[in-house]
Amino acid sequence: MARITYVEFNGTAHSVEVANGVSLMEGAISNGVPGIDGDCGGNAACATCHVYVDGAWTGKTGTPNEMEDAMLDLADGKRDNSRLACQILASDDLDGLVIEMPETQH
Ligand code: FES
């Protein structure tokens, strides 16, 4: 279980618990957190679950693989710390993680 804080572009924060093995995209959708769409259902094929991960956490969240990085190229506002939330699975190690959302997913 990990407590994840999702911060909307306008600064509104939503702190929710996400079960281990559940993606951070699913964790947002199932908890009604706005700002993450997840149109492709978690297949790294839509980039509507684009988030920014604080650099201090990349050792635990990992970094995008080639396919994820290519999909992120299609997202508005890609940064060095961009990730697809569907490609990060919750675990005890991610307890306390804060992720920020871009202005738009489309
Ligand atoms: S849900 Fe489509 S890329 Fe993550």
Side-chain angles (χ1 to χ4, degrees), residues 25 37-49 71 84-87:
M25 178 277 283
D37 293 345
D39 288 348
C40 76
N43 294 311
C46 71
T48 65
C49 64
M71 190 53 56
L84 296 176
C86 69
Q87 300 302 301

Side-chain angles (χ1 to χ4, degrees), residues 10-105:
N10 68 11
T12 305
H14 306 265
S15 188
V16 302
E17 292 197 335
V18 182
N20 290 354
V22 173
S23 79
L24 301 192
M25 178 277 283
E26 293 172 286
I29 303 286
S30 64
N31 285 288
V33 176
I36 291 180
D37 293 345
D39 288 348
C40 76
N43 294 311
C46 71
T48 65
C49 64
H50 178 204
V51 295
Y52 304 118
V53 175
D54 186 300
W57 285 87
T58 53
K60 291 182 175 173
T61 60
T63 51
N65 64 22
E66 211 170 298
M67 183 178 75
E68 181 179 342
D69 198 47
M71 190 53 56
L72 283 164
D73 284 340
L74 303 177
D76 278 343
K78 182 188 180 192
R79 299 179 191 163
D80 288 347
N81 61 341
S82 288
R83 290 296 310 270
L84 296 176
C86 69
Q87 300 302 301
I88 304 173
L89 301 183
S91 67
D92 292 345
D93 283 350
L94 297 188
D95 190 39
L97 175 67
V98 178
I99 55 177
E100 298 180 347
M101 288 173 267
E103 185 170 14
T104 177
Q105 296 288 3

